[in-house]
Amino acid sequence: MATRTEYMEKRLKLLGKSNFLKFTLYLILISYFYNLAVFYYSISGNNELRLYDFVGVVVLYQFYQNRVVLLWFINEKKYLYYLWIFIKWCMFMMIFTFFISYLNGRLTWILRTTLFMYHFLIFYFSFVFFLILMRRSKILKQMVYLHIILVIIASVVVLLQHFGAVPYLWSDLDRKAYGGFLSGILGPNKIVLGMVMYISLVTFIGVFLQRELRINKLMLLAGILFAMIALGLSGSRTSYVGLLVFLVYFFFRSTGKFIYMSVILGAGFLIVSMYNSEIFTMIENVINGRVFSKISDPSLLAQGNVDQLYEDLGSGRKNLSLLYVDYLLTNIYVVPLGSGFNNFILVGNSAHNMYLTLINEVGLLGLFFYVRWLTSYFSIEFTKFKQLGIVLKGLVLATMVTLLFGEQLYVYRPVFAILGIFLFATAVLLSPRYYKKT
C-alpha cells in the first residue's frame, strides 16, 4: 500500500505534466515582463489592470482545484512554508487596514489593498507551480529560454527608446511622477527596469556556470549582455547596489568562476562596442547623471563617508526613514503587530525601506516571518549543483541589502511584478535539486 508521501508525489508528477498549467505559466512569465495596461477602469482616477491580473484568475483556480496536494507540497519546503505564513499574516492584518480605511473615509484604499493581496497570491501560487513543473529538466529549459527572450525584447525596447525609435509608453501622469525615464514595457519607475534586469542577470550567470543544465551558452550570454546593458540604462541606483553586493559575494565564494565570467563578458562587451560604441556612451551618461553627478564631494568615495553618500544618492530616503522611525517611536503600540497590510494612510507615505515598512504594516511579528522566509534560502544544501547554490544565496543576500532602500519584494503598485520575477528566479535556481525523470 502506497504511503501518503508516495501518493502526493504521484499527484505532483501528474500535475507537472499538465499542458494547460504549463501554458498558463508561460503567460504568467510573459505578463511579468509586459506591465502596460490591457484594461482601464476608473475608481480613483486612471486605474489599470495588467495581463497578470487576468491570467492570475486561472492560476488561483488551478491552485484551488489542486489545493490538497499543493498545501502538502508547501509544508514540505521551508522557503515555501515560511512565505505562506507571512502571506496569511498579511491577510489577517488586512482587517485593520479595512477598519482604518473606513474610519478615514478612504474606501478606495480597501479595494487597492485587496488588489495588492490578489497580486501577492498570484505571484506566490505561480512560484509553487513553477517549482512543480520545473522539476522536469525539459520544462526548466523551456522556461529559461522564454526568460532570455523576454529579457532581450524588454532590453531592445529600452535601447530603441534611447535611439528615438520608440516613444515613451506610459501615461502623462507617470511621466510627471517618475521624470519620464525611458524604461520600456516594464514600468515607469526606474526600479522596475533595474531590478528585473539585475535579477535576470544573476539568474543567467548561475545557469551559465552550471554546465549540467545543458542550456545553450550563446543564448545565455546574449541574455546576460542585454540584461547588463538595460541595467546600466535603468538609472536605478538601488539595482546597481544589488549587483555590486552580489559581485563581491560571488568573488569571495567562487573566485575562479568570477574571473572566468569576467573574461567572457569582457570579450562580449568588446564585440558589442565594436558594433555600436554609442550604447556604452549612453550607459556612461546615465550612470554619471544618476550617480556621480549627485555626489556633493567626490572625496566622499575615498573617505568612505557612507552617511553623506546616502544623503546625496538616497533621493530623500533618509528623511523618509527618519520620519518612519519617529512615527513608530511615537506610536509604539504599532510596533509589535502593525497597523495593517498596505496601510500607510496615517504616515502619509511608504518608508522606501522594506524593514521599516513591514514594522508599520505587519509589526515585528510580520517582519520576523518575512526575514525568516528570506534567510531560509541560506540553509538549503546544494550537493550537486553547487554554482546554483552560490548564485542563489548571493542573489538573496544582495536583494536583502537593496530592501534597505525600497520595497522591491512586495506588492506596491510602483514595483509591479518584481516579486514575481524574483520568485521565478529562485525557482529556476532551486528546481534542479528536485529533478524528476520525464
Side-chain angles (χ1 to χ4, degrees):
M1 193 169 99
T3 65
R4 177 176 171 80
T5 299
E6 290 172 338
Y7 171 75
M8 290 299 183
E9 286 289 348
K10 186 177 180 180
R11 289 276 306 273
L12 286 175
K13 188 174 182 179
L14 288 173
L15 185 59
K17 293 182 178 180
S18 168
N19 288 325
F20 180 67
L21 179 59
K22 182 171 70 171
F23 178 72
T24 302
L25 291 184
Y26 286 155
L27 289 179
I28 277 291
L29 186 55
I30 291 170
S31 75
Y32 289 169
F33 282 82
Y34 185 82
N35 288 318
L36 294 170
V38 296
F39 181 80
Y40 290 92
Y41 64 99
S42 183
I43 293 178
S44 58
N46 293 321
N47 304 103
E48 308 161 342
L49 290 177
R50 280 162 284 281
L51 184 56
Y52 54 74
D53 287 307
F54 296 97
V55 184
V57 175
V58 182
V59 172
L60 264 61
Y61 174 74
Q62 289 269 39
F63 191 90
Y64 177 77
Q65 287 288 94
N66 300 280
R67 60 191 180 280
V68 174
V69 65
L70 292 175
L71 289 173
W72 174 86
F73 181 68
I74 288 169
N75 288 328
E76 290 292 303
K77 305 287 185 291
K78 286 184 178 180
Y79 52 86
L80 282 176
Y81 177 73
Y82 290 156
L83 182 54
W84 183 230
I85 292 295
F86 174 73
I87 292 173
K88 289 196 288 187
W89 177 248
C90 289
M91 293 176 74
F92 172 74
M93 292 304 295
M94 287 172 68
I95 298 172
F96 295 87
T97 305
F98 292 169
F99 183 67
I100 293 172
S101 300
Y102 175 77
L103 291 180
N104 285 270
R106 302 282 293 274
L107 298 183
T108 56
W109 203 271
I110 295 175
L111 296 174
R112 171 178 171 153
T113 301
T114 303
L115 183 62
F116 286 173
M117 177 51 67
Y118 172 61
H119 292 161
F120 212 156
L121 293 174
I122 291 171
F123 299 152
Y124 179 74
F125 292 155
S126 297
F127 177 39
V128 175
F129 284 130
F130 277 126
L131 284 166
I132 292 171
L133 263 68
M134 290 194 297
R135 300 206 304 178
R136 298 171 64 195
S137 60
K138 178 182 176 181
I139 303 299
L140 182 134
K141 288 181 181 179
Q142 292 173 358
M143 290 294 180
V144 170
Y145 285 136
L146 178 58
H147 187 187
I148 293 170
I149 292 168
L150 291 169
V151 165
I152 292 174
I153 291 172
S155 302
V156 168
V157 172
V158 173
L159 277 169
L160 291 176
Q161 285 185 320
H162 279 271
F163 284 121
V166 174
Y168 184 76
L169 299 173
W170 300 89
S171 67
D172 290 336
L173 190 65
D174 288 322
R175 187 192 294 270
K176 292 176 183 177
Y178 301 108
F181 212 81
L182 301 176
S183 54
I185 56 178
L186 288 169
N189 195 336
K190 303 175 188 69
I191 193 69
V192 185
L193 174 61
M195 290 300 297
V196 167
M197 292 303 164
Y198 145 72
I199 293 169
S200 300
L201 167 63
V202 172
T203 306
F204 295 157
I205 288 174
V207 175
F208 185 92
L209 292 174
Q210 199 67 64
R211 64 183 64 183
E212 293 90 343
L213 300 184
R214 298 179 181 178
I215 293 175
N216 188 281
K217 300 298 184 186
L218 288 178
M219 281 283 289
L220 283 167
L221 187 57
I224 291 170
L225 289 172
F226 274 99
M228 288 191 73
I229 290 169
L231 174 58
L233 292 173
S234 73
S236 169
R237 294 185 289 255
T238 302
S239 304
Y240 296 159
V241 169
L243 180 61
L244 179 62
V245 173
F246 169 78
L247 291 176
V248 170
Y249 176 87
F250 186 44
F251 175 78
F252 284 104
R253 284 297 311 273
S254 188
T255 306
K257 296 294 185 183
F258 177 89
I259 295 172
Y260 170 66
M261 283 302 306
S262 299
V263 171
I264 290 179
L265 290 177
F269 278 117
L270 180 62
I271 294 171
V272 173
S273 65
M274 291 171 63
Y275 175 74
N276 192 325
S277 60
E278 188 179 346
I279 292 174
F280 294 95
T281 302
M282 291 188 299
I283 293 174
E284 183 181 1
N285 291 337
V286 170
I287 293 176
N288 282 334
R290 290 289 297 161
V291 180
F292 297 109
S293 67
K294 301 290 184 181
I295 299 174
S296 57
D297 182 359
S299 66
L300 293 171
L301 290 170
Q303 296 170 9
N305 190 334
V306 177
D307 187 61
Q308 186 57 47
L309 285 172
Y310 184 41
E311 185 82 45
D312 292 340
L313 299 174
S315 299
R317 283 177 170 81
K318 181 179 179 180
N319 291 334
L320 275 173
S321 296
L322 291 174
L323 172 67
Y324 256 72
V325 171
D326 182 63
Y327 172 80
L328 292 171
L329 290 175
T330 304
N331 301 275
I332 199 70
Y333 60 88
V334 171
V335 173
L337 301 178
S339 59
F341 170 70
N342 184 46
N343 179 23
F344 49 83
I345 295 174
L346 301 179
V347 192
N349 206 335
S350 69
H352 285 64
N353 177 311
M354 187 66 186
Y355 307 108
L356 288 175
T357 291
L358 288 179
I359 292 173
N360 172 61
E361 294 189 11
V362 291
L364 286 175
L365 182 59
L367 177 62
F368 167 75
F369 292 149
Y370 185 86
V371 173
R372 184 176 62 167
W373 158 58
L374 284 173
T375 54
S376 68
Y377 287 109
F378 297 121
S379 63
I380 300 173
E381 295 291 335
F382 284 80
T383 54
K384 186 178 179 182
F385 300 96
K386 291 185 179 179
Q387 290 302 318
L388 293 183
I390 292 171
V391 169
L392 172 66
K393 292 167 186 178
L395 172 64
V396 174
L397 175 65
T399 307
M400 289 180 72
V401 173
T402 69
L403 294 177
L404 292 167
F405 317 114
E407 293 98 357
Q408 298 80 256
L409 293 192
Y410 210 34
V411 283
Y412 286 158
R413 189 265 185 187
V415 297
F416 291 97
I418 297 176
L419 174 61
I421 291 173
F422 176 82
L423 292 174
F424 168 76
T426 63
V428 168
L429 297 171
L430 282 166
S431 292
R433 296 180 69 252
Y434 311 109
Y435 268 175
K436 300 291 182 183
K437 291 182 179 180
T438 56

